[in-house]
Each structure stands twice: as structure tokens, then as C-alpha cells.
Amino acid sequence: MPQRLACRSNLGTLWGAAIRYNETTFFPSAWAGETFYYATIPLAFELGEALDRADPNSPINRAARIKEADDCQPWREQYAKQVRTNPAVGMKVKFGVIIEVRQPLVLVQYDGFGKQVKGCDQEWVQVSTLGPGSNCPE
């Protein structure tokens, strides 16, 4: 069930309402032969700007993510070059971290998402295929 409703335009969110569901109850109806749901539903007005800040898919937040990715691109390229030419234990790479180096291979310990994608906890990877993760490298 929705927790927020919003009125949007091309420029962003104009206004919205936060929805709560209080005193929720399921009750059977003898005369209808079904189970019904009851709740008191108070609404609270919310400013469109506040809703846009909280919504990760709002135009403002999407633009901020695009700008952050563009600002990070030179760092990502530099880090990718460094990790491919001089890999070291502890360097963060896409889906995990390097835990052993035996040129031209490195052993990558995968993070939670990497384990899902790769289907294993760790594996030997060609140094030439290494790259930074999705975040801006430090």
C-alpha cells in the first residue's frame, strides 16, 4: 500500500501527502461471506521539494547522480590504470577487493553483490580485466 502520494509536473514534484495506516483490522463479514480490511488513514501534507529530496528517482537526484559520475570519471580512469599496472593486496576492484597477487592474475574476494553476480566467494582474475567498482575510487 502506498506511503506517499505526489502531484508531479515536468519540473518536479509540486506537493504530496504522507499516508499512515492506523488501527488496521481484518474482519470477516457474515452477510458478505468475505474478509474485509479496515484502517484509519490520516494524511499529512508534504512539500514537493522534500519529496524530491527523499525520492532516489526524482529528476533532482538523477541529475545529481549523473553529475557525480561525470565528476568521478577521471579518477576512475586513473584508478583503473593503476590497478592494471600495479595491483596490490587491499585494492578495491569491481565486485570486491584484491586479496592475493600472482602476476598476471589476482585473487579477488567478492563482496555481497559480487557473490550474487559471479556465483562464488572469490576467483582468480586477469589483471588486464580489472577496473574500479561503481563508487568513485579513493
Side-chain angles (χ1 to χ4, degrees), residues 47-113:
L47 294 173
E49 294 169 359
L51 287 170
D52 277 344
R53 282 193 302 271
D55 179 6
N57 294 317
S58 71
I60 293 169
N61 287 331
R62 280 185 290 181
R65 282 195 307 273
I66 291 169
K67 182 183 180 324
E68 183 180 317
D70 289 346
D71 291 348
C72 188
Q73 190 58 31
W75 293 103
R76 290 175 58 77
E77 290 171 4
Q78 179 183 355
Y79 189 81
K81 189 181 295 184
Q82 179 183 356
V83 78
R84 289 177 186 156
T85 59
N86 192 19
V89 171
M91 292 181 91
K92 293 180 182 178
V93 293
K94 191 168 188 176
F95 303 126
V97 64
I98 297 173
I99 59 172
E100 190 174 341
V101 178
R102 292 186 189 167
Q103 288 282 6
L105 301 173
V106 295
L107 183 59
V108 175
Q109 177 76 46
Y110 292 122
D111 58 21
F113 183 66

